[in-house]
Amino acid sequence: MQQKGFAGIRFPSLSYTCRSRLLERSDSFDGTLPLLGKILVIIVGILLPVALAFAAAGHLPGTTWPVIALGATAFTLMAINLVMAARLPGIDAMFDGLDQVYWVHKWLGMLILTCAFLHQQIKIATDGLQVMAAISELAIQVAEISFYLMVFLVLISFFKRVPKMPKITWEIPYGIWRQSHRLLGVVFLGIAFHQFFVKAPFDNNALLAYYLNGAAAVGAAAFLWSQFGFLVRRRAYKVTAVTKHPAATIVDLEPAGRGVSVRPGSFAFVKFSAKGLGEPHPFTVSQVRPNGGIQFSIRGLGDYTRHLRDALSVGDTAKVEGGYGRFHHHRGGPKQVWVAAGIGVTPFIAWADHLKPGDAEQICMIYCIRNEAEGVALDRLRAAAERVPGFTLKLHCSDTDGRFDAAKLVSYLPFEIAQASFWFCGPAPMREGLVKDLKASGKVPRAIHFERFEFR
Ligand SMILES: Cc1cc2nc3c(=O)[nH]c(=O)nc-3n(C[C@H](O)[C@H](O)[C@H](O)COP(=O)(O)OP(=O)(O)OC[C@H]3O[C@@H](n4cnc5c(N)ncnc54)[C@H](O)[C@@H]3O)c2cc1C
């Protein structure tokens, strides 16, 4: 089903995405090593288990060592996936953002499933009952139950709707999906039990045995941290203002003690004490105040965000966890294009607030909305444009200016887009269309940055 988009344009899905990705090169080093995480996953999760499986069982006949390699790879990747889901500090820098962490996590889930399936099938096909009788039946049974549970959980995460049937728009509600996804930690513990007690055809002193026991310990610790880490990660805040803007509910918060550490462009998970608002949801911090106060600008896109508009009041308490994300324009070089569509404006508002008159960058921001009434924080964006000579703001109102496209984007810029980095936050189809058309016309920005506004 097509949904009314943020700038009055129709898009196929409600959720808009925003993700950082280096198109050609990164402009400057800011502690982000986007390839490091993926390289580590390949070395630690695939190459090492395969090599250690070969060392432990390469001398055995038949398919023994590939079967062990497949099982060891699936298990190590599961441990890595639990680490990636635990929101540990530094992990997002290795993947260039938490959204990227979750994207890799999702694809690893499919790889794990494939390895586990092949491990099981090849073993049964080649060794049959002969080896089955020699190993712990319980460990085998636990692994089988865990495997089928994993198949179910991974598939519902991967295909949130029925694949290839765009007309079926119902998807598993996020809360139910989140609770069910937690069971993957229990699946991991079941597989750890299997790997520990199954009678393996290699020595207990083989390096592989130590490696897998280490993976079990790391995965279990990560699972515990992901379930209970919020006890130390969440900070208490008080709601000091709730403003009902036509396009968003603007919520101001002050820390009740030590607040979270956020930068303009970061996002945080927030939940409120008001009835029905107890589930943490991610929102970009649209204002970072010097006293530690923060602001969220929240568009009513679903049950929670619509309910919040009426249910939240001044004096309510909030629990905030963050800040996360690597969507920070200071690594964008001397010329930058910022394109915001609808509520995708939130990181740009926080950035614009922090621009100073002496900043050397030349920045052109284009804000796509249906009409001026829909503009969130227009006063602050205009104040930034007056205060900072290098910052220009262009409003694109689709009601009067028509559809926003690559040609209009280029025409608004006071410099060549090929010299600039491109920062986008808005619906994914809009971004994909712009980038495709820019490429087709040979006007490719130096780098493209966006961040996924969806984790599943
Ligand atoms: C990094 C990030 C930053 C965001 N910043 C903003 C912002 O500044 N302003 C804004 O209005 N919106 C923002 N969003 C989107 C916002 O989180 C969703 O619109 C909101 O959670 C939807 O909840 P709902 O129950 O109202 O809608 P639903 O219709 O229930 O959910 C719509 C979609 O939102 C996602 N979602 C729902 N609940 C959760 C949850 N608890 N945790 C994670 N994802 C969930 C799911 O993908 C779901 O398919 C951001 C999202 C992300 C990931």
Side-chain angles (χ1 to χ4, degrees):
M1 191 179 70
Q2 298 270 302
Q3 302 284 348
K4 197 80 169 176
F6 294 83
I9 307 162
R10 291 198 166 268
F11 299 108
S13 144
L14 246 189
S15 49
Y16 64 96
T17 64
C18 191
R19 166 157 80 102
S20 302
R21 179 199 277 165
L22 304 185
L23 182 75
E24 289 183 321
R25 64 193 162 96
S26 118
D27 306 281
S28 62
F29 177 74
D30 71 337
T32 300
L33 294 165
L35 283 182
L36 180 64
K38 288 175 191 160
I39 292 169
L40 280 178
V41 168
I42 292 169
I43 295 175
V44 179
I46 300 173
L47 297 182
L48 274 172
V50 170
L52 293 176
F54 184 75
H59 59 286
L60 296 171
T63 55
T64 308
W65 92 259
V67 166
I68 292 174
L70 283 164
T73 304
F75 185 66
T76 315
L77 287 176
M78 276 189 92
I80 290 178
N81 247 4
L82 286 167
V83 171
M84 289 173 73
R87 294 186 204 151
L88 294 165
I91 298 281
D92 59 343
M94 288 191 216
F95 289 86
D96 204 20
L98 197 60
D99 55 314
Q100 273 287 302
V101 173
Y102 286 127
W103 186 82
V104 175
H105 172 91
K106 179 169 147 177
W107 282 98
L108 281 184
M110 284 309 263
L111 182 59
I112 291 165
L113 212 57
T114 311
C115 292
F117 176 75
L118 292 175
H119 169 79
Q120 188 201 40
Q121 293 302 312
I122 300 174
K123 180 143 194 70
I124 291 169
T126 54
D127 295 345
L129 294 174
Q130 189 195 339
V131 173
M132 296 276 278
I135 58 178
S136 157
E137 280 297 326
L138 182 62
I140 295 276
Q141 279 164 10
V142 168
E144 277 197 2
I145 295 167
S146 304
F147 175 73
Y148 290 117
L149 188 56
M150 179 167 72
V151 171
F152 175 70
L153 294 171
V154 171
L155 289 185
I156 62 168
S157 291
F158 207 80
F159 303 108
K160 53 184 185 177
R161 307 188 184 94
V162 180
K164 304 227 181 259
M165 298 194 71
K167 291 214 168 114
I168 299 182
T169 53
W170 184 85
E171 60 182 53
I172 299 158
Y174 187 88
I176 295 179
W177 169 81
R178 197 167 72 109
Q179 296 304 339
S180 69
H181 207 64
R182 289 183 162 169
L183 284 175
L184 278 168
V186 179
V187 167
F188 177 79
L189 297 179
I191 309 260
F193 176 84
H194 167 78
Q195 82 83 20
F196 203 74
F197 289 107
V198 79
K199 188 165 181 335
F202 56 85
D203 195 334
N204 272 351
N205 288 321
L207 271 180
L208 180 65
Y210 290 109
Y211 195 75
L212 294 180
N213 290 342
V218 169
F223 176 54
L224 285 178
W225 176 253
S226 67
Q227 298 310 302
F228 303 107
F230 67 86
L231 293 170
V232 283
R233 290 194 302 245
R234 279 185 195 155
R235 302 269 191 269
Y237 280 76
K238 205 151 210 86
V239 176
T240 53
V242 180
T243 312
K244 293 184 185 179
H245 182 278
T249 307
I250 298 169
V251 182
D252 286 287
L253 302 169
E254 295 293 335
R258 201 173 128 221
V260 292
S261 160
V262 282
R263 293 158 70 186
S266 301
F267 69 90
F269 291 85
V270 60
K271 62 175 207 156
F272 300 95
S273 58
K275 197 160 177 263
L277 299 178
E279 185 190 53
H281 280 246
F283 299 105
T284 302
V285 178
S286 58
Q287 188 175 55
V288 182
R289 294 189 285 272
N291 66 349
I294 53 176
Q295 181 189 79
F296 296 105
S297 301
I298 299 171
R299 173 131 185 169
L301 290 174
D303 291 348
Y304 184 94
T305 45
R306 281 194 208 109
H307 175 62
L308 174 140
R309 196 165 172 87
D310 296 320
L312 197 63
S313 342
V314 171
D316 284 344
T317 56
K319 287 277 163 75
V320 180
E321 180 195 327
Y324 295 112
R326 315 289 302 175
F327 198 57
H328 301 306
H329 80 97
H330 63 82
R331 59 190 167 113
K335 290 196 169 71
Q336 302 181 13
V337 183
W338 300 355
V339 177
I343 198 62
V345 73
T346 48
F348 301 107
I349 303 171
W351 291 352
D353 280 347
H354 281 250
L355 292 176
K356 289 188 240 19
D359 286 350
E361 291 103 343
Q362 207 182 343
I363 298 168
C364 180
M365 171 170 170
I366 300 158
Y367 184 9
C368 302
I369 35 181
R370 246 180 308 197
N371 46 55
E372 272 212 42
E374 269 202 357
V376 176
L378 272 185
D379 52 339
R380 279 156 58 194
L381 293 170
R382 285 184 170 133
E386 280 190 12
R387 185 177 75 243
V388 184
F391 178 67
T392 47
L393 173 70
K394 167 75 191 154
L395 279 193
H396 178 96
C397 297
S398 57
D399 282 354
T400 49
D401 301 330
R403 194 171 167 273
F404 181 70
D405 57 19
K408 287 202 174 107
L409 162 63
V410 171
S411 74
Y412 291 150
L413 301 181
F415 45 73
E416 284 292 317
I417 196 163
Q419 301 167 350
S421 61
F422 177 67
W423 297 80
F424 180 89
C425 197
M430 180 178 180
R431 184 198 73 232
E432 284 155 10
L434 285 175
V435 171
K436 191 167 145 251
D437 292 348
L438 284 173
K439 279 187 187 164
S441 61
K443 296 182 186 306
V444 183
R446 289 177 58 202
I448 296 179
H449 302 269
F450 56 99
E451 193 171 67
R452 205 176 281 278
F453 260 42
E454 189 183 42
F455 290 145
R456 239 190 317 180

